[in-house]
Amino acid sequence: MRIVIAGGHGQIALRLERLLSVRGHEVAGIIRRPEQGDDLRIAGAEPVLMDLESASVEQVAAVLQGADGVVFAAGAGPGSGTERKETVDRRAAMLVAEAAERAGARRFLVVSSMGADSGHAGDEVFDAYLRAKGAADEYVRGRTGLDWTILRPGMLTNDAGTGLVRLEAETGRGPVPRDDVAAVLAELVDTPATAGLTLELIGGSVPVAVAVRAIAGN
């Protein structure tokens, strides 16, 4: 399959690109800066230069034409303010979802966040982030032309992945290595029966493939 990852230079995205490439998929990653391209090539992905904060839906749809799946893994990052939570975490996610629908790329995965909620209260930057992610998730769930799955990891760590997770509609809070988030995403790409599910993910005791198969179709 051809899989396009929005936010292709992110920490989870680079891990996912390696995994998908090893599985034999054709992978492309949307990046903002040309100097990021070599990292994607090393990971086995084709870099596509595009700024999702200024691109039109037609431009994004052209990139997604012929894709079998799309993963939205872009984020403004922890050092950004509330404005970029709005332009990246909400608007860019909505843009890519609409573009995927126009391009006929039905399989659509979102890397969201545990606690994402458009009605989340609070004035801190992280509160704005959770509202933006929640609003984007709601928008994606309303796109009837997409077979979407929303993944909401717990606290992300750079610990080595264990391959053991807890993947459920509600898990409670907990940490999860980025390695394992990428492994779950790779498995979800290949498991269309998880379409229509919003899932939480933390470290656990169940092998990734088993956890994804168990939740598929629920």
Side-chain angles (χ1 to χ4, degrees):
M1 294 192 295
R2 176 173 172 81
I3 310 298
V4 180
I5 301 173
H9 196 257
Q11 294 187 66
I12 291 172
L14 286 169
R15 289 167 166 86
L16 177 59
E17 286 155 5
R18 293 187 196 100
L19 293 174
L20 292 175
S21 178
V22 167
R23 289 184 177 210
H25 295 305
E26 179 187 346
V27 188
I30 298 174
I31 55 174
R32 293 180 62 216
R33 297 195 295 273
E35 61 268 24
Q36 298 171 334
D38 285 345
D39 290 336
L40 269 73
R41 294 184 188 97
I42 291 169
E46 167 202 350
V48 177
L49 191 62
M50 177 173 288
D51 185 351
L52 294 175
E53 291 177 89
S54 60
S56 69
V57 66
E58 291 81 11
Q59 289 172 319
V60 180
V63 170
L64 303 184
Q65 199 70 40
D68 300 290
V70 179
V71 180
F72 185 84
S80 59
T82 56
E83 182 179 341
R84 294 202 69 228
K85 306 305 182 193
E86 177 71 10
T87 58
V88 179
D89 294 291
R90 186 178 78 85
R91 290 184 197 164
M94 295 165 67
L95 172 73
V96 176
E98 182 181 351
E101 197 168 37
R102 288 199 189 189
R106 291 194 61 95
R107 189 73 178 113
F108 194 85
L109 279 76
V110 177
V111 183
S112 184
S113 174
M114 193 172 289
D117 180 356
S118 62
H120 180 83
D123 299 322
E124 300 298 323
V125 173
F126 190 67
D127 298 319
Y129 169 75
L130 292 177
R131 284 193 293 273
K133 295 298 281 186
D137 291 353
E138 289 175 8
Y139 182 84
V140 169
R141 284 194 288 257
R143 306 305 298 192
T144 58
L146 298 178
D147 297 327
W148 54 264
T149 303
I150 295 170
L151 184 65
R152 292 178 165 180
M155 184 182 70
L156 299 170
T157 75
N158 286 325
D159 297 337
T162 66
L164 300 173
V165 298
R166 182 177 176 189
L167 180 69
E168 299 172 14
E170 294 183 11
T171 61
R173 295 191 177 275
V176 60
R178 288 179 172 86
D179 286 348
D180 290 334
V181 177
V184 168
L185 287 166
E187 202 68 33
L188 289 172
V189 166
D190 287 335
T191 312
T194 57
L197 299 180
T198 300
L199 303 170
E200 293 185 349
L201 173 68
I202 59 174
S205 59
V206 181
V208 167
V210 175
V212 171
R213 284 199 302 270
I215 202 72
N218 288 348

